[in-house]
Amino acid sequence: MTAFALRRTVLWLAAAALCTLGTLVGFAVWAFGLGHYLDDLCLTSPEVDAREFEVVRGPVVDGPVSLRCEFPGSDRAPVEITDWYPLLWTLGCALGVLAGVLVVVLLTRLLTRPRAAPAGA
């Protein structure tokens, strides 16, 4: 194996490892951020109007921008909330990960291109 082939293999392996690590970090940031946002949404949302000592379950994701808060053991009907932030957070994290992978792949491709021999050699 030539030095160039070895260098190309090592760079592509490093790029694959970096893309995998970046994707895992992006997933962790997405999950932590979304969980933190949705944690007390049903208790703090003015649309729900949760009363003191009332049991509130949710939010349950019904669609891309639709969340539902339920009141088990109560005669209250479930409350639907339209919220764009979870969808926008998901799209932002996905685009960030894709941009990072694209940069790593383009840089690796640039670094592994064969170079032209110097003139006169």
Side-chain angles (χ1 to χ4, degrees):
M1 181 179 265
T2 66
F4 177 72
L6 180 63
R7 178 177 169 227
R8 181 188 313 198
T9 303
V10 168
L11 280 173
W12 278 109
L13 287 174
L18 192 60
C19 288
T20 302
L21 181 65
T23 302
L24 291 174
V25 168
F27 178 74
V29 167
W30 169 78
F32 179 77
L34 191 61
H36 185 68
Y37 179 76
L38 294 176
D39 188 29
D40 289 332
L41 184 69
C42 286
L43 295 175
T44 59
S45 176
E47 297 172 22
V48 175
D49 188 34
R51 298 178 184 112
E52 192 172 0
F53 302 114
E54 186 173 43
V55 177
V56 181
R57 183 184 315 155
V60 177
V61 179
D62 280 338
V65 295
S66 179
L67 305 167
R68 183 179 71 241
C69 298
E70 300 171 340
F71 306 94
S74 175
D75 58 347
R76 289 183 63 184
V79 176
E80 293 286 329
I81 301 172
T82 300
D83 193 353
W84 285 87
Y85 291 121
L87 178 64
L88 294 176
W89 177 253
T90 301
L91 291 176
C93 287
L95 288 175
V97 167
L98 286 176
V101 167
L102 182 66
V103 166
V104 168
V105 168
L106 290 177
L107 282 175
T108 305
R109 192 169 166 186
L110 179 71
L111 290 172
T112 57
R113 278 192 308 185
R115 296 190 180 123

